[in-house]
Amino acid sequence: MSLQIQSLEAYKEAYQKSVENPSLFWDEIANQFLWRKKWTKTLEYDWTVPETKWFLGGQMNITENALDRHLETRGDQVALICEPNSPEEETKYITYKELHSKVCAFANVLKRNGAKKGDRICIYMPMILELSVAILACARIGAIHSVVFAGFSSTALAARINDATCSILLTADGGFRGDKITPLKDIADEALKNAPSIKKSIICQRTYQNITWNPSIDVWWHEELEKVDDNCPAETMDSEDMLFILYTSGSTGKPKGMVHTCGGYMIYATYSFQNVFQYKEGDIYWCSADIGWITGHSYILYGPLISGATSILFEGVPSYPDYGRFWQICEKHKVNQFYTAPTAIRALAKHPTSFIDKYDLSSLKVLGTVGEPINEEAWHWYDDNIGKNKCPIVDTWFQTENGGIMITSLAGITESKPTYATLPLPGIQPVLMDVNSNEIEKVEAEGILAIKYPWPSIARTIYGDHERYKNVYFSAYENYYFPGDGALRDERGNYRITGRVDDVVIVSGHNLGTAPIENAINEHEKIVESAVVGFPHDLKGFALYAFVIPYDGVEVNDELAKEVREVVANTIGPIAKPDKIQFVKGLPKTRSGKIMRRILRKIASNEIDSLGDVSTLLNPEVVKNIIENKL
Ligand code: WT7
């Protein structure tokens, strides 16, 4: 299968074709995949409903494309290189044949434990081989996987299990991360107290620590594997059957379970992987993201495996055992494409280049970043020190909701420009909107990003809440998808994503809704109300600043701030802990009682001079008080 665009002319041609005749364009691409039954209609959509369907009537199974299809041609090629947390431990090299066998065997374990097509299975695991096997095993039998990042708390885990009424939980005794161990089973036990839909929990041994055992639902992964063989035909799936749910934060209320379906997701994850990274036969590709995020789903597993690539799965962190770990891995495996997040780049750039100079990085051909805007300084540090000014950098913009990369340069094919994601992939039609909700015609402009035509891997709905899906993504502009980001466009049509325009803050690449954090803080018995905003931060890109009103008579001290942080860590996860907590007497409100976050954002970001008119507030006097006591 070759889906690759190999020149600038070919990109322009492909782009034009994708706009003029999208069905023909995607048909030719989809024809290169393995289908059990061909689709009868390429696209049907109506964004007023909203509804989007791709490859209607087509039948397939994504694991046959990722595994079975390669058995003849590359069965003995390494599919996954599993690099453990500690460099002392042995690396695992798993061939396509072995991965196929492991996936089939574990799929049989799932079936033995009651899993059926359409069931939701929650996966709360460290970044180890078994996590990949678990995901693919679900897909094999048509069960819907819902991976929850192993850094989330028990409350966050329970909320996600309950939202999708998952019947099985796959977890591990614990997980290694740097010099820490996450007690995953303990956290899961806590979650299961409030997640009654789980009937079985399959526990993988990783840390061998002591755990409590609940004989009515717990079974050991390794013991179950002894009871099955590795023969498991793939379930036939319709293009539009659900493949997975993946949660992302929203600006209000509970996390949104984005629903991705089989056919369109398969095509787009693979097409984008091959074109953005320009992966060539025999290359070693490494994406350092967590599989708990969409980047890991699409660009550690599905895209690379369907392409027959060799993909690295890294369990650890960039700082352990020291700040050279990433580069040691690049040298060890002669990595050709390396894909990481700006937050990791900024963190590593704080340390001496002696951590890099020790290693031979000459195998690198392409560098990538994803997750948040990359600042100019970090971009150049990456280019100079890691790419040695010879590797194109692809700054890839996309969202959990998109399934795959939307705006980026294609490595070595289209131009890279520092801090710009640059151009849309073929099939993606971005526009900029002005304040009156009209498309800005002028090329060089600034506005709100919107997408005006469907692409195959757009999330089809929010699990269980189609109304919310409509409100969040399709009500800002009629007949356009609204991502929630602002953007600039240069004279050549390159896009630069400037950041969120709603109440979501990207902290160290983690997408955090401020509303759930506020709800968590407000749960504290001594707290009346709170408002959380983002402010620029050297390492994290953005960090959280919480303005918190305690009840009258409550003593305000460091202990209370600590408790507030604890509440957030316990409800959402340590990543959501505010950097700054300022206790205040009141919050600026509009006359209708809505907190004016815009003002708080300016105060938190030290932009006090541009606060604007506060006199229309219900309580303008609180602003002065907040500024005087600013942290
Ligand atoms: C939000 C989506 C896509 C995987 C990781 C994040 C921001 C993402 C970039 C980029 C500027 C970016 C946007 C987007 N974002 N990539 N290259 N340049 N901003 O997925 O958690 O769904 O977050 O991340 O604000 O809307 P996510």
Side-chain angles (χ1 to χ4, degrees):
M1 169 166 63
S2 180
L3 306 172
Q4 231 166 56
I5 292 168
Q6 313 229 3
S7 68
L8 185 59
E9 284 61 48
Y11 164 75
K12 287 181 183 159
E13 236 169 73
Y15 191 81
Q16 200 176 352
K17 183 167 171 185
S18 77
V19 173
E20 282 167 6
N21 198 339
S23 293
L24 181 67
F25 176 80
W26 289 112
D27 275 356
E28 283 175 10
I29 289 166
N31 269 326
Q32 299 189 49
F33 289 70
L34 190 64
W35 294 83
R36 288 194 173 178
K37 193 170 145 222
K38 216 188 132 140
W39 57 101
T40 48
K41 192 170 179 198
T42 309
L43 168 64
E44 198 174 278
Y45 84 106
D46 178 351
W47 277 0
T48 60
V49 177
E51 182 180 88
T52 311
K53 292 180 174 167
W54 282 91
F55 310 112
L56 289 86
Q59 290 185 334
M60 37 69 72
N61 184 294
I62 197 166
T63 69
E64 283 188 331
N65 282 270
L67 300 171
D68 305 57
R69 196 182 193 190
H70 301 314
L71 293 182
E72 286 272 299
T73 48
R74 55 177 88 244
D76 294 321
Q77 181 199 312
V78 173
L80 289 177
I81 298 177
C82 303
E83 183 62 34
N85 177 57
S86 161
E88 311 276 297
E89 209 182 318
E90 240 174 87
T91 305
K92 287 183 185 160
Y93 299 86
I94 310 297
T95 65
Y96 273 95
K97 219 183 262 169
E98 289 164 336
L99 187 59
H100 178 265
S101 158
K102 284 177 190 294
V103 167
C104 289
F106 195 70
N108 284 333
V109 166
L110 291 175
K111 286 202 255 183
R112 246 186 65 81
N113 284 279
K116 300 180 308 299
K117 179 174 178 174
D119 288 353
R120 275 81 55 218
I121 297 186
C122 179
I123 306 181
Y124 184 65
M125 292 184 65
M127 286 280 287
I128 55 176
L129 171 62
E130 287 79 359
L131 165 60
S132 310
V133 169
I135 288 173
L136 295 167
C138 289
R140 186 88 181 162
I141 63 170
I144 297 157
H145 54 80
S146 166
V147 180
V148 176
F149 172 53
F152 279 145
S153 68
S154 58
T155 317
L157 174 61
R160 285 158 179 76
I161 292 173
N162 291 333
D163 184 71
T165 53
C166 296
S167 54
I168 296 180
L169 173 67
L170 308 177
T171 188
D173 46 5
F176 294 113
R177 262 182 84 74
D179 54 8
K180 297 200 190 71
I181 289 184
T182 316
L184 295 173
K185 173 69 162 85
D186 293 351
I187 299 171
D189 285 344
E190 195 57 38
L192 292 196
K193 288 182 189 160
N194 300 309
S197 59
I198 296 289
K199 300 292 177 265
K200 266 276 150 48
S201 181
I202 307 180
I203 321 294
C204 180
Q205 272 180 318
R206 176 59 185 128
T207 53
Y208 294 86
Q209 69 205 88
N210 280 333
I211 55 173
T212 30
W213 197 254
N214 179 352
S216 62
I217 61 166
D218 292 343
V219 293
W220 280 115
W221 194 292
H222 60 280
E223 286 180 6
E224 289 303 293
L225 278 174
E226 284 163 15
K227 303 172 189 161
V228 296
D229 63 22
D230 66 354
N231 180 16
C232 179
E235 184 74 36
T236 302
M237 305 298 284
D238 285 331
S239 285
E240 284 298 328
D241 280 341
M242 273 186 216
L243 174 63
F244 65 86
I245 301 170
L246 187 58
Y247 286 87
T248 185
S249 4
S251 57
T252 53
K254 53 179 188 170
K256 300 172 289 190
M258 304 317 305
V259 170
H260 286 283
T261 56
C262 296
Y265 175 80
M266 168 173 84
I267 305 297
Y268 196 77
T270 310
Y271 178 75
S272 53
F273 169 73
Q274 292 189 21
N275 281 299
V276 174
F277 299 102
Q278 292 287 309
Y279 183 90
K280 301 284 187 274
E281 191 69 40
D283 281 351
I284 307 291
Y285 160 88
W286 179 22
C287 165
S288 77
D290 197 284
I291 289 189
W293 313 122
I294 189 69
T295 312
H297 281 57
S298 303
Y299 301 114
I300 296 176
L301 287 186
Y302 286 118
L305 293 179
I306 295 167
S307 304
T310 299
S311 175
I312 298 181
L313 176 69
F314 175 45
E315 181 184 25
V317 294
S319 53
Y320 178 84
D322 63 38
Y323 291 98
R325 181 68 162 132
F326 272 4
W327 323 124
Q328 180 254 329
I329 296 174
C330 285
E331 175 185 272
K332 177 173 182 184
H333 299 297
K334 301 198 169 48
V335 170
N336 301 113
Q337 291 88 6
F338 176 63
Y339 188 27
T340 194
T343 180
I345 298 169
R346 287 191 301 265
L348 293 170
K350 292 272 169 209
H351 299 279
T353 50
S354 54
F355 285 113
I356 306 165
D357 299 341
K358 277 203 273 206
Y359 301 106
D360 175 6
L361 298 181
S362 61
S363 58
L364 288 172
K365 297 194 284 189
V366 175
L367 299 177
T369 91
V370 60
E372 61 187 304
I374 181 163
N375 49 309
E376 189 122 19
E377 205 185 339
W379 196 99
H380 285 294
W381 182 88
Y382 199 29
D383 185 37
D384 294 345
N385 295 289
I386 309 306
K388 321 284 184 199
N389 306 115
K390 69 174 179 55
C391 301
I393 296 180
V394 292
D395 175 354
T396 63
W397 175 82
F398 75 117
Q399 312 176 287
T400 308
E401 294 85 338
N402 307 151
I405 298 167
M406 305 280 281
I407 302 182
T408 180
S409 52
L410 308 183
I413 307 287
T414 63
E415 107 181 292
S416 334
K417 175 172 177 180
T419 76
Y420 279 71
T422 73
L423 299 175
L425 276 171
I428 308 303
Q429 299 187 35
V431 296
L432 291 180
M433 299 301 225
D434 67 16
V435 285
N436 301 317
S437 303
N438 294 319
E439 268 186 45
I440 304 175
E441 300 287 335
K442 192 164 172 278
V443 179
E444 198 176 350
E446 175 162 17
I448 307 284
L449 193 64
I451 314 285
K452 72 169 177 189
Y453 196 82
W455 64 99
S457 61
I458 183 175
R460 306 298 195 256
T461 189
I462 293 175
Y463 190 81
D465 200 347
H466 199 65
E467 200 51 37
R468 188 173 177 203
Y469 175 75
K470 180 176 180 163
N471 287 336
V472 177
Y473 305 109
F474 294 93
S475 62
Y477 309 112
E478 206 175 319
N479 267 311
Y480 293 82
Y481 168 82
F482 167 67
D485 284 318
L488 292 174
R489 192 165 53 203
D490 75 5
E491 70 291 350
R492 292 198 295 284
N494 290 310
Y495 286 88
R496 173 188 188 159
I497 312 301
T498 48
R500 301 290 308 177
V501 294
D502 56 13
D503 291 330
V504 171
V505 184
I506 311 274
V507 178
S508 299
H510 298 286
N511 178 332
L512 299 173
T514 53
I517 302 172
E518 290 163 5
N519 292 342
I521 296 175
N522 300 347
E523 289 290 298
H524 191 288
E525 56 184 15
K526 293 180 185 160
I527 305 302
V528 185
E529 200 181 2
S530 62
V532 172
V533 298
F535 69 98
H537 185 278
D538 271 4
L539 283 184
K540 303 179 179 181
F542 276 88
L544 298 174
Y545 194 126
F547 298 89
V548 177
I549 312 179
Y551 277 105
D552 278 350
V554 165
E555 195 187 335
V556 165
N557 51 26
D558 288 352
E559 189 50 36
L560 185 59
K562 202 172 140 209
E563 284 174 31
V564 167
R565 287 197 176 89
E566 281 302 291
V567 167
V568 175
N570 293 336
T571 329
I572 294 158
I575 42 170
K577 281 198 267 186
D579 267 41
K580 296 189 180 177
I581 296 177
Q582 179 179 349
F583 293 102
V584 296
K585 297 209 169 2
L587 294 166
K589 300 228 171 137
T590 63
R591 296 199 174 263
S592 63
K594 197 168 182 284
I595 298 171
M596 281 288 272
R597 284 190 181 66
R598 185 178 55 77
I599 291 177
L600 295 174
R601 230 177 267 137
K602 295 243 154 139
I603 296 175
S605 311
N606 277 327
E607 293 173 25
I608 293 157
D609 296 340
S610 60
L611 273 191
D613 184 14
V614 298
S615 64
T616 56
L617 291 174
L618 185 68
N619 50 353
E621 71 286 353
V622 301
V623 175
K624 191 163 159 269
N625 183 271
I626 294 175
I627 293 173
E628 279 166 6
N629 297 303
K630 185 188 173 299
L631 298 177

